[in-house]
């Protein structure tokens, strides 16, 4: 007998992997329709300049060129970029192709459509542009002075400013036994998906329908944004997302994708654009790039008495139309308290525009911003107090019996057990032995360190005033032969939903997951819904699929009861059959294949389906969260996230004091994501997230010069971690089911990235404690580490 693959909590191999491992995946760039024109983009060599003249005459004369379009000419076919999200921020008037002014290095200035990409690129080189360079706004300080204005009509460079105070913060500090204040910074970096952005637009002048095939996380939202920007009826646009080679938040918007759509509509022909790696680094979504002044008060027992944070972030050219990044600062403002109990709270967040690339989501969306300074601060305070970084965390952790926990800043935490997670992580890392070994190795001139970071991952965001507003439909359909289809707008971007969502349906229907297929990535087929972002799959999408499956199961049991002459309440589903509970009689069982055939085909629904039951063998359910709260309370607090996975992460590092090289030997992740659907997939997500965090803390840096030009936009210089830099990873799981989702599941796609930079930074400081090193800047390149060691030696090893 073949063992069936089904159920929750089973580490089944991913269904989608054989296709990719054997080279049978189909990505956007693999698709080539006959007669397709290819697009190339002329990009600005200046970060900030007025466009005086664009001469396209020579480019138009090149054989094979079909069209050349400037920003001014594009205004005949497209409006300003549509707003992705708008919360307490200024909204600029910006366009897919620069009009009158360029505001970042690499911004599109003109585009060429030609018979192939080679001709298009040659034609781009023939376009001549006269610029009037303007002062570049590069740093946060440049923006605040300001050295120049990106949007003159604003009169300033501040895109977002918000503050909230809960309690008397000054009184709380005055009564505190200890008060600590630090300025903590984070570098700018990006997600670097394996597949860069790509788009094929095909406008049919006869039907006036636009079909867009693109690499996106969010087909429904992209359809909306393109429709609004092109000022087209949305029902005339179809978005198809084939296989997508990673997203990480960088494929949620539609900015450059508008360009091939516009050109296709203009020419009435299919137009294809595929981004190269340099284009992706220059103009794709960028993240982090902030500094935060954090002030914390403690009582005599080291309990937090007050927390004050002031966050300044560089959101580049724009964080609301080019990409949905600016509200991430508000998420940070709500989550600085993290895993800890805070009685008095004051927070201010300021996002400034600059002549850097667009700002958006990258595996964290503000949760990472909140986590890093607080987890660094816990270690810094422990150092200054001469106590263990473990103890100061334990003293301030939210306790298991306090959940659901209303955080002072507004979020409602569903469940967790930080104390148990800490115990498990320390045990797995063999903390006591490591600290003894550390002492012995220091005598030999070797420096190892251990760093801890607690993790809180708000997941399942439901954000107002934008295209990320928090609902999710799903349809579950039974086919005539008794198989099942799941239809959802939740795109597969590598997170394993082709396996986990069928596992959910199999748990309801008791069928093999190979008899269940997931359909997504086509707005003409799937219900309008939201894509994978904010780790919302296990919160919203799993819940919608589960509830839809339950509705369909109820319908199946009613039909089976009618056929078997039994009350449906006495029936159950087992191994692809409906059976009478407790009976082995073949007369009291029917296979799903037979049932499906009877309803759909022979003899058909009349007489087979009982009166009052819909004969369409499918069910749709739209899941919304009952705990999301958009109406502010008397203190201005809201709750945007439904579930809150937790964890304690430990990094073990070795630092070579001669070269400054940091080697991460091991990572321990003690983790809770509620009810686990597939542990192997959870592990993979954690491992991938840690790799992203390692890249940001040790290697990756989107550095700009004083003129606003990116210094290293290619993989020769922008270094990403490889298998050589990724250490052994040990994961431990506990399950604290969420009371706010039907299966107790929580999202967890960002949980590895959020805590890992602080864990590594804390470990490096621990390793170099004899030198009094303080980690002030990232990434921790060898040069920067050596400089910190030298400064520590000069100051006598005092932090």
């Amino acid at each position: 007998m073949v063992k069936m693959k089904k159920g929750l909590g089973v580490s089944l191999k991913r269904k989608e992997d054989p296709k990719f491992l054997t080279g049978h995946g189909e990505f956007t760039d693999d698709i080539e329709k006959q007669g397709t024109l290819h697009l190339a983009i002329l990009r600005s060599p200046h970060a900030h300049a007025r466009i005086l003249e664009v001469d396209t005459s020579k480019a138009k004369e090149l054989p094979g060129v079909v069209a050349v379009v400037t920003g001014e000419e594009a205004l005949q076919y497209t409006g300003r970029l549509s707003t992705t999200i708008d919360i307490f921020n200024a909204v600029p008037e910006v366009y897919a192709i620069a009009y009158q002014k360029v505001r970042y290095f690499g911004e599109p200035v003109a585009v060429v459509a030609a018979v192939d990409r080679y001709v298009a690129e040659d034609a781009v080189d023939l376009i001549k542009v006269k610029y009037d360079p303007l002062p570049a706004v590069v740093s946060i300080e440049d923006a605040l002075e300001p050295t120049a204005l990106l949007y003159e009509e604003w009169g300033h460079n501040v895109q977002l400013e918000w503050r909230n105070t809960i309690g008397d913060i000054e009184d709380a500090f005055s009564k505190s036994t200890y008060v600590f204040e630090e300025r903590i910074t984070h570098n700018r970096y990006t997600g670097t998906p394996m597949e860069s952005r790509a788009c094929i637009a095909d406008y049919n002048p006869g039907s006036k329908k636009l079909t867009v095939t693109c690499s996106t996380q969010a087909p429904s939202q992209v359809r909306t944004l393109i429709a609004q920007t092109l000022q087209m009826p949305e029902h005339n646009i179809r978005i198809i997302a084939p296989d997508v080679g990673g997203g990480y938040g960088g494929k949620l918007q539609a900015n450059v994708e508008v360009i091939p759509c516009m050109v296709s509509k203009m020419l009435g022909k299919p137009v294809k654009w595929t981004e190269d790696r340099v284009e992706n680094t220059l103009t794709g979504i960028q993240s982090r790039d902030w500094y935060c002044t954090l002030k914390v008060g403690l009582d005599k027992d080291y309990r937090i008495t007050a927390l004050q944070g002031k966050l300044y972030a560089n959101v580049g050219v724009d964080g609301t139309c080019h990409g949905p990044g600016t509200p991430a600062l508000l998420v940070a403002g709500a989550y600085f308290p993290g895993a800890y109990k805070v009685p008095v709270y004051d927070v201010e967040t300021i996002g400034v525009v600059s002549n850097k690339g667009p700002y958006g989501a990258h595996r964290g969306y503000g949760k990472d911003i909140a986590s890093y300074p607080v987890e660094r601060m816990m270690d810094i305070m422990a150092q200054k107090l001469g106590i263990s970084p473990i103890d100061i965390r334990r003293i301030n952790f939210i306790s298991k019996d306090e959940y659901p926990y209303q955080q002072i800043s507004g979020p409602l935490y569903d469940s967790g057990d930080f104390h148990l997670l800490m115990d498990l992580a320390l045990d797995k890392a063999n903390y006591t032995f490591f600290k003894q070994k550390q002492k012995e190795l220091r005598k030999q001139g070797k420096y190892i360190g251990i760093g801890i970071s607690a993790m809180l991952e708000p997941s399942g965001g439901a954000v107002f005033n934008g295209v990320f507003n928090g609902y999710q439909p799903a349809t579950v359909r039974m086919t005539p032969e008794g198989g099942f289809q799941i239809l959802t707008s939740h795109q597969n971007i590598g997170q394993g939903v082709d396996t986990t969502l069928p596992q959910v349906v199999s748990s309801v229907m008791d069928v093999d997951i190979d008899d269940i297929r997931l359909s997504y990535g086509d707005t003409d087929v799937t219900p309008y819904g939201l894509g994978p972002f904010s780790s919302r799959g296990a919160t919203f999408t799993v819940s919608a699929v589960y509830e839809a499956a339950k509705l369909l199961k109820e319908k199946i049991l009613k039909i089976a009861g009618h056929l078997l002459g039994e009350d449906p309440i006495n029936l159950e589903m087992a191994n692809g059959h409906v059976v009478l509970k407790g009976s082995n009689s073949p007369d009291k069982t029917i296979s799903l294949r037979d049932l499906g055939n009877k309803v759909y085909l022979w003899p058909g629904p009349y007489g087979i389906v009982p009166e009052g039951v819909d004969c369409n063998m499918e069910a749709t359910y739209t899941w919304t969260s009952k705990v999301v709260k958009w109406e502010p309370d008397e203190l201005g607090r809201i709750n945007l996230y439904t579930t809150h996975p937790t964890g304690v992460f430990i990094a073990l590092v070795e630092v070579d004091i001669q070269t400054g090289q940091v080697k991460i030997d091991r990572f321990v992740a003690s983790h809770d994501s509620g009810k686990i659907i597939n542990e192997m997939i959870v592990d993979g997500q954690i491992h991938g997230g840690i790799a992203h965090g390692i890249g940001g803390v040790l290697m990756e840096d989107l550095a700009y010069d004083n003129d606003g030009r990116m210094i290293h936009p290619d993989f020769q210089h922008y270094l990403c971690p490889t298998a050589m830099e990724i250490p052994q990873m040990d994961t431990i799981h506990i399950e604290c089911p969420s009371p706010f989702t039907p299966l107790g599941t929580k999202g967890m796609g960002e949980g590895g990235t959020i805590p890992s930079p602080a864990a590594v930074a804390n470990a490096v400081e621990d390793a170099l404690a004899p030198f009094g090193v303080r980690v002030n800047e990232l990434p921790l390149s060898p040069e920067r580490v050596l400089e910190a060691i030298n400064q520590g030696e000069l100051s006598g090893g005092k932090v």
Side-chain angles (χ1 to χ4, degrees):
M1 181 176 178
V2 177
K3 186 177 180 180
M4 298 183 77
K5 295 181 287 185
K6 58 186 178 181
L8 301 180
V10 182
S11 288
L12 300 176
K13 291 183 178 180
R14 299 191 341 160
K15 292 176 64 175
E16 51 266 56
D17 286 350
K19 173 178 70 173
F20 296 119
L21 294 172
T22 57
H24 290 93
E26 183 178 61
F27 299 86
T28 300
D29 193 51
D30 294 326
I31 300 167
E32 189 74 21
K33 186 176 181 178
Q34 187 173 6
T36 296
L37 300 175
H38 291 258
L39 207 68
I41 300 174
L42 174 68
R43 298 186 177 278
S44 171
H46 300 282
H48 200 193
R50 299 196 188 282
I51 301 171
L52 302 179
E53 181 184 345
V54 183
D55 181 359
T56 61
S57 57
K58 291 188 181 302
K60 289 177 179 177
E61 293 171 358
L62 188 68
V65 170
V66 178
V68 183
V69 185
T70 67
E72 185 171 2
E73 292 166 341
L75 298 181
Q76 302 173 55
Y77 306 97
T78 178
R80 55 175 290 274
L81 285 177
S82 183
T83 305
T84 62
I85 192 166
D86 178 10
I87 307 176
F88 308 139
N89 55 247
V91 178
E93 183 176 306
V94 288
Y95 297 86
I97 305 175
Y99 171 59
Q100 294 184 334
K101 186 178 178 181
V102 292
R103 294 184 175 90
Y104 65 98
F105 180 56
E107 182 172 8
V109 175
V111 297
V112 175
V115 293
D116 61 42
R117 181 68 178 263
Y118 300 100
V119 172
E121 294 285 359
D122 287 344
V124 160
D125 292 338
L126 297 175
I127 300 173
K128 304 299 179 185
V129 184
K130 289 183 180 179
Y131 296 96
D132 177 20
L134 298 169
V137 178
V138 181
S139 68
I140 292 171
E141 291 75 15
D142 289 342
L144 292 173
E145 284 180 7
T147 56
L149 295 175
L150 268 74
Y151 306 101
E152 287 85 354
E153 62 273 21
W154 291 3
H156 54 75
N157 287 320
V158 177
Q159 188 164 22
L160 179 144
E161 188 169 11
W162 175 79
R163 184 172 185 175
N164 194 24
T165 304
I166 303 168
D168 190 332
I169 192 74
E170 295 306 325
D171 182 65
F173 282 132
S174 69
K175 294 176 180 177
S176 299
T177 306
Y178 309 97
V179 177
F180 301 95
E181 188 170 0
E182 291 283 337
R183 174 170 155 152
I184 297 169
T185 68
H186 204 296
N187 58 310
R188 191 179 193 92
Y189 75 115
T190 185
T192 60
M194 291 180 68
E195 179 198 23
S196 59
R197 293 174 297 177
C199 181
I200 303 170
D202 188 2
Y203 181 77
N204 186 316
S207 66
K208 297 184 178 180
K209 183 172 181 178
L210 173 66
T211 300
V212 183
T213 304
C214 62
S215 178
T216 177
Q217 295 176 233
S220 293
Q221 290 107 306
V222 164
R223 187 182 72 181
T224 295
L225 294 170
I226 288 175
Q228 292 178 353
T229 302
L230 293 182
Q231 300 165 357
M232 281 184 66
E234 189 164 343
H235 60 268
N236 282 351
I237 300 176
R238 179 187 185 187
I239 305 295
I240 300 172
D243 294 322
V244 174
Y248 314 124
K251 295 179 180 176
L252 288 171
Q253 61 288 320
N255 47 36
V256 72
E257 290 85 355
V258 168
I259 298 175
C261 296
M262 176 200 69
V263 176
S264 179
K265 187 179 178 185
M266 182 179 80
L267 300 176
K269 294 182 178 181
V271 175
K272 181 177 183 179
W273 171 75
T274 300
E275 182 180 57
D276 65 33
R277 183 54 60 183
V278 170
E279 288 180 302
N280 181 263
T281 308
L282 282 176
T283 68
I285 288 302
Q286 302 173 13
S287 186
R288 295 6 178 219
D289 198 356
W290 50 262
Y291 69 80
C292 174
T293 300
L294 211 62
K295 188 175 181 180
V296 184
L298 302 177
D299 67 15
K300 62 182 178 60
D301 298 317
Y302 310 131
R303 290 185 174 86
I304 295 172
T305 56
L307 174 62
Q308 184 177 54
K310 189 164 186 178
L311 171 68
Y312 288 90
N314 187 331
V315 301
V317 65
D318 166 44
T320 189
C321 297
H322 284 94
T326 307
L329 312 184
L330 300 173
V331 174
Y335 281 99
F336 278 127
Y340 309 106
K341 291 181 278 192
V342 175
V344 181
Y345 185 53
D346 178 49
V347 63
E348 183 176 8
T349 63
I350 297 170
V352 298
V353 291
S354 73
N355 296 121
K356 293 184 177 181
Y359 199 76
H362 166 41
R363 216 164 188 172
Y365 199 73
K367 313 151 196 180
D368 53 290
I369 300 175
S371 176
Y372 184 78
V374 170
E375 290 303 316
R376 289 285 294 115
M377 197 69 178
M378 298 305 282
D379 266 45
I380 291 169
M381 291 190 298
Q383 291 169 13
K384 292 185 175 182
L385 290 166
I387 65 173
S388 166
I390 300 167
D391 292 340
I392 196 169
R393 288 179 169 85
R394 284 191 192 278
I395 290 166
N396 290 287
F397 274 153
I398 299 161
S399 299
K400 179 182 180 181
D401 58 5
E402 295 178 284
Y403 289 96
Y405 182 83
Q406 178 75 58
Q407 185 56 272
I408 188 171
S409 51
L412 181 63
Y413 297 176
D414 47 339
S415 62
D417 190 344
F418 278 108
H419 291 92
L420 176 58
L421 290 166
M422 178 69 86
D423 291 341
L424 293 171
L426 292 172
D427 182 65
K428 191 72 173 178
N430 207 346
Y431 184 85
T432 303
F433 173 79
F434 184 92
K435 295 302 287 185
Q436 183 59 44
K437 180 182 176 183
Q438 182 185 59
K439 292 178 182 177
E440 296 169 1
L441 288 177
R442 281 176 179 170
K443 296 174 185 176
Q444 304 171 30
K446 296 181 180 178
Y447 295 87
I448 62 173
I450 188 165
I452 298 168
S453 179
M455 185 277 290
L456 181 81
E457 182 190 1
S459 66
V463 186
F464 56 91
N465 270 27
V467 292
F468 310 103
N469 50 37
Y471 65 94
Q472 186 64 45
T475 298
V476 179
R477 175 186 299 155
M478 193 177 92
T479 62
E481 74 276 10
F484 292 89
Q485 288 176 284
I486 307 167
L487 292 90
T488 173
S489 57
H490 195 90
Q491 185 71 24
N492 191 341
I493 55 173
Q495 75 278 47
V497 290
D498 272 322
T499 305
T500 53
L501 293 182
Q503 283 186 259
V504 172
V505 173
S506 79
S507 73
V508 176
M509 303 297 186
D510 203 67
V511 297
D512 194 306
I513 69 164
D514 285 341
D515 293 330
I516 305 167
R517 185 170 66 85
L518 177 63
S519 297
Y520 49 83
D522 188 338
T523 57
D524 273 8
V525 174
T526 60
Y528 189 101
L530 310 183
F533 63 90
S534 183
S535 302
R536 65 190 299 275
T539 301
F540 279 82
T541 306
V542 162
S543 298
V545 169
Y546 175 70
E547 296 291 356
K550 285 201 319 182
L551 289 175
L552 180 56
K553 178 181 179 179
E554 182 181 349
K555 186 184 294 189
I556 291 170
L557 292 177
K558 287 180 179 178
I559 296 171
H562 183 69
L563 291 169
L564 298 174
E566 295 288 344
D567 189 329
I569 200 170
N570 297 322
L571 301 177
E572 63 183 356
M573 298 180 75
N575 293 325
H577 292 72
V578 179
V579 301
L580 181 65
K581 295 176 183 176
S583 172
N584 293 319
S585 171
D587 295 331
K588 295 299 180 182
T589 181
I590 184 170
S591 70
L592 294 179
R593 173 184 283 273
D594 286 346
L595 188 149
N597 265 263
K598 288 178 183 295
V599 173
Y600 280 108
L601 303 171
W602 297 283
Y606 299 100
I608 300 299
V609 179
E611 187 175 348
V613 176
D614 180 6
C615 63
N616 188 16
M617 299 299 289
E618 65 179 47
T620 298
Y621 190 93
T622 300
W623 197 83
T624 56
S625 171
K626 291 181 171 57
V627 298
V628 166
K629 181 183 176 184
W630 286 354
E631 188 70 30
D633 65 12
E634 68 280 2
L635 297 173
R637 302 179 300 186
I638 58 177
N639 181 47
L640 303 180
Y641 292 87
T642 298
T643 65
H644 292 80
T646 54
V648 172
F649 284 56
I650 295 179
L652 295 89
V653 308
E654 180 178 352
V655 183
D656 187 327
I657 64 169
Q658 301 301 319
T659 65
Q661 189 74 40
V662 177
K663 179 187 176 186
I664 304 175
D665 291 320
R666 191 176 168 211
F667 241 105
V668 173
S670 179
H671 189 261
D672 161 48
S673 57
K675 175 63 180 176
I676 292 175
I677 297 171
N678 186 314
E679 186 175 314
M680 184 163 55
I681 287 177
V682 171
D683 287 346
Q685 286 290 293
I686 292 172
H687 294 172
I690 290 172
H692 265 133
I694 289 172
V697 72
L698 292 185
M699 307 170 72
E700 299 181 49
D701 189 23
L702 292 173
Y704 288 76
D705 66 20
N706 292 333
D707 294 321
R709 293 184 177 89
M710 190 180 290
I711 296 171
H712 37 50
D714 57 63
F715 277 176
Q716 274 188 301
H717 305 93
Y718 184 89
L719 302 177
C720 294
T722 68
M724 298 298 291
E725 288 78 36
I726 302 302
Q728 172 189 337
M729 299 185 197
D730 298 311
T731 53
I732 312 152
H733 300 285
I734 67 171
E735 289 189 346
C736 297
S738 174
F740 302 149
T741 59
L743 285 172
T745 52
K746 306 176 185 180
M748 43 65 60
E750 299 158 295
T753 308
I754 292 167
S756 46
V760 173
N762 288 340
V764 170
E765 274 194 359
D766 181 56
L768 299 177
F771 302 95
V773 166
R774 172 78 72 237
V775 172
N776 290 321
E777 292 185 75
L778 299 179
L780 290 170
S781 63
E783 296 82 5
R784 191 164 279 156
V785 171
L786 283 176
E787 182 182 356
I789 292 171
N790 292 334
Q791 287 178 350
E793 288 178 326
L794 289 172
S795 63
K798 295 179 181 180
V799 176

